[in-house]
C-alpha cells in the first residue's frame, strides 16, 4: 500500500504505491535520516536521524505523535515490535532503547554496548532483538529486558545489514568485510 523513503534533504516521505503520489508532507529532521520503519498496521512510520532523535509520525496526517525521542548521539536504527506496542532504537552512543509507541516514554534501557549500534530488528515472534554495530559484531538481545542473548556474531568490518528469516530460525548479517 505505502512506500517510505528517506532523502539527503533530511526528510522522509510516505508514498501511495498505487498512484506514486506523496501522501505525507516531508517528515523533517535537522540531519540525515539513517533508518525508517512502518508500524505493523501501517498507520505510523518511525525515522532515525543524525540529529540524535527518532521521529514517530502519523501516516494519515504526516504529523509527529510527540517530540522526537532523544538519544545521546546520532540515532541509527528503528524497529517496531510485531505487535506495534514498542519501538526499539539504536544510536552511535552505543545504546539500545525500547520505547512505548503510544506515549513516547522509555520503557527499557538504555542498554550499553561496546560501540555504536547501527541497526536493529525484531524477531517475528517479538521475543528477540538483533543489532548490528560499528564494533564489527551483531548481537541478540531479549526484547523485554534488553539483556544480551548469546555471544556476539563477529565480522571484520562494521555490520550494516541485519534481519531475521520469516520463521525467526535464522539471522542474516551484512558487513563491508564481504561476509
Amino acid at each position: 500500500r505505502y512506500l517510505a523513503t528517506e532523502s539527503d534533504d533530511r526528510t522522509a516521505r510516505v508514498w501511495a504505491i498505487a498512484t506514486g503520489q506523496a501522501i505525507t508532507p516531508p517528515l523533517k529532521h535537522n540531519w540525515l535520516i539513517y533508518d525508517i520503519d512502518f508500524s505493523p498496521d501501517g498507520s505510523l512510520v518511525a525515522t532515525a536521524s543524525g540529529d540524535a532523535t527518532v521521529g514517530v509520525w502519523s501516516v494519515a496526517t504526516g504529523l509527529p505523535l510527540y517530540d522526537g525521542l532523544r538519544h545521546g548521539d546520532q540515532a541509527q536504527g528503528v524497529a517496531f515490535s510485531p505487535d506495534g506496542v514498542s519501538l526499539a532504537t539504536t544510536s552511535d552512543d552505543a545504546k539500545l532503547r525500547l520505547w512505548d509507541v503510544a506515549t513516547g516514554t522509555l520503557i527499557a534501557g538504555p542498554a550499553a554496548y561496546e560501540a555504536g549500534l547501527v541497526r536493529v530488528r525484531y524477531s517475528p515472534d517479538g521475543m528477540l532483538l538483533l543489532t548490528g554495530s560499528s564494533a564489527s559484531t551483531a548481537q541478540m538481545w531479549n526484547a523485554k529486558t534488553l539483556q544480551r542473548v548469546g555471544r556476539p556474531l563477529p565480522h571484520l568490518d562494521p555490520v550494516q545489514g541485519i534481519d531475521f528469516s520469516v520463521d525467526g530460525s535464522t539471522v542474516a548479517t551484512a558487513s563491508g568485510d564481504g561476509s
Side-chain angles (χ1 to χ4, degrees):
R1 232 172 98 177
Y2 301 123
L3 169 72
T5 59
E6 53 196 74
S7 175
D8 283 348
D9 68 359
R10 303 176 183 179
T11 66
R13 286 218 174 162
V14 178
W15 307 83
I17 293 173
T19 64
Q21 299 297 311
I23 62 167
T24 64
L27 311 176
K28 296 180 182 179
H29 278 276
N30 293 321
W31 195 248
L32 297 177
I33 297 169
Y34 297 119
D35 199 15
I36 193 165
D37 194 31
F38 278 106
S39 62
D41 68 2
S43 67
L44 302 173
V45 66
T47 52
S49 173
D51 65 10
T53 67
V54 167
V56 179
W57 315 82
S58 164
V59 170
T61 66
L63 297 174
L65 266 61
Y66 27 75
D67 287 338
L69 306 175
R70 302 275 174 216
H71 293 71
D73 202 339
Q74 295 184 45
Q76 291 281 340
V78 292
F80 282 97
S81 61
D83 63 7
V85 172
S86 58
L87 180 73
T89 63
T90 57
S91 69
D92 278 348
D93 67 0
K95 304 279 192 312
L96 172 63
R97 294 171 174 86
L98 200 60
W99 307 85
D100 180 278
V101 172
T103 64
T105 57
L106 187 67
I107 55 176
Y113 201 64
E114 289 77 27
L117 294 167
V118 294
R119 292 290 175 262
V120 62
R121 294 293 176 261
Y122 270 93
S123 62
D125 65 6
M127 300 302 291
L128 297 171
L129 289 163
L130 177 65
T131 57
S133 84
S134 58
S136 305
T137 59
Q139 178 68 53
M140 298 277 249
W141 305 78
N142 179 299
K144 302 295 182 211
T145 65
L146 299 187
Q147 296 297 307
R148 294 181 196 196
V149 176
R151 293 175 174 251
L153 307 170
H155 282 272
L156 299 176
D157 286 333
V159 176
Q160 297 295 326
I162 56 170
D163 209 351
F164 283 91
S165 62
V166 174
D167 67 2
S169 66
T170 306
V171 298
T173 62
S175 171
D177 64 8
S179 64

